[in-house]
Amino acid sequence: MVILAPTHSNTHTNSIILNHISWQTFERILLETGGDRYNRFTYNQGILEIMTPLMPHEHNNRLLQNLIIVLVEELNLNVKSTGSLTCKREDLARGVEPDSSFYIQNEPIMRNKTSLDLTQDPPPDLVIEVDYASSSIDKLPIYLALGVPEVWRYNEPVMQIYSLSEDKYIPCNGSPTFANLPLNTEVPQFLASSLQVGEMSMIKNFRSWLKTQIS
């Protein structure tokens, strides 16, 4: 029996790091813990991080999810929300569970899919990472290896958007998925305002701002 002990914790996340974990062990842990667990796993060539997000992390993750839905509605895009879907490839010995993930450009391809095989299916078009603690595993190289086109990394109060270009991530001022809108600067301000006006008022204000940008 392996006893797991946290090697890093703060008020926002708890994490456990395990070294020398084989791919087969990683797969077995995924199978035995099931899909209803609260933990999120990151696997990078033998290193496994198990993260337990706490309230501030999940709060901003849910807010960002809501803003994505507003964006696809107002820009008349379709979306398949895939949450913390496990994205993994054995040939790369890498696996990751984003805070949130979405198919937008590839939504028609994935619309009726009930499982993901990254040897055949495209990775999510957009993933969100809410960083409150310094993870022991940098997820950007994993997303890069998997070919994820766009990553939003939010580390309160800063958000950075990365776009995949010529086999590397380029920091962007706007989102390629959403008409290059200046979401880097605007989204953190809206998230912060939710603490004063509440979530629903913030979302309404964001929608109003968005309408002025695309009209």
Side-chain angles (χ1 to χ4, degrees), residues 4 12 15 23 29 35 40-41 44 48 50 53 70 72 80 82 100 102 108 111 115 137-138 161 177 192 202 208 211:
L4 306 182
H12 300 296
S15 66
W23 182 263
I29 291 172
R40 293 184 190 137
F41 296 157
N44 188 24
L48 175 64
I50 305 172
V70 173
V72 296
K80 180 169 184 172
T82 45
S100 297
F102 305 88
R111 183 177 300 170
S115 61
I137 299 179
D138 184 359
I161 296 173
T177 299
M202 182 276 286
S208 296
K211 288 178 182 292

Side-chain angles (χ1 to χ4, degrees), residues 107-133:
E107 184 275 336
I109 297 173
M110 299 302 293
R111 183 177 300 170
N112 295 314
K113 296 267 188 175
T114 58
S115 61
L116 178 65
D117 179 356
L118 285 182
T119 64
Q120 301 178 25
D121 301 321
D125 297 306
L126 170 63
V127 303
I128 292 174
E129 286 294 332
V130 179
D131 293 335
Y132 274 101

